[in-house]
Amino acid sequence: MRTAIKATLIKACTFAMALVMVGFGLFSSIVIFAESIDIILAMGYTKEKAAVIMSCVGLALIWLATLLGDSAHEFMLAGYKKASEVEET
C-alpha cells in the first residue's frame, strides 16, 4: 500500500517538475525574444540586418527550448523508472 502511494507521488512530482521545466523554458524564450527585438530595433540597423539578427536569435532560442524539452523528457523517464523500481519492491 505504501509503495503504491510512494510510486504515485514520484510519478506525479516528476511529471509536474517536467511540466514546470518546459513551461519556464518556453516563457523565458518568449521574454528573451521580445526584449531582444526591442534592443535590435533600437540599435539602428537596416531592416534586412535586423531581420537576420532576429532570425538568428529566434533559431537559437528554438534550439534551446528543444534541448530543454528533451531534458525534461529524460527527467520524466528517469522518474518513472524510479517509480517502477519502488513499485516492484
Side-chain angles (χ1 to χ4, degrees):
M1 175 73 175
R2 297 184 100 206
T3 57
I5 294 171
K6 187 186 267 188
T8 304
L9 282 174
I10 290 172
K11 286 181 182 179
C13 290
T14 301
F15 180 76
M17 183 57 90
L19 197 62
V20 167
M21 286 170 64
V22 170
F24 177 77
L26 289 177
F27 179 74
S28 63
S29 292
I30 291 169
V31 169
I32 290 169
F33 188 69
E35 292 298 320
S36 67
I37 288 174
D38 292 339
I39 293 169
I40 291 166
L41 293 177
M43 295 187 83
Y45 290 116
T46 63
K47 288 183 181 181
E48 293 83 15
K49 287 182 182 180
V52 169
I53 293 170
M54 285 188 274
S55 297
C56 291
V57 169
L59 285 173
L61 291 173
I62 289 170
W63 176 67
L64 289 174
T66 303
L67 285 178
L68 182 64
D70 289 342
S71 297
H73 182 254
E74 291 297 322
F75 178 78
M76 195 168 69
L77 289 178
Y80 280 12
K81 182 180 176 185
K82 180 67 176 176
S84 67
E85 290 174 2
V86 168
E87 283 178 339
E88 291 174 359
T89 59

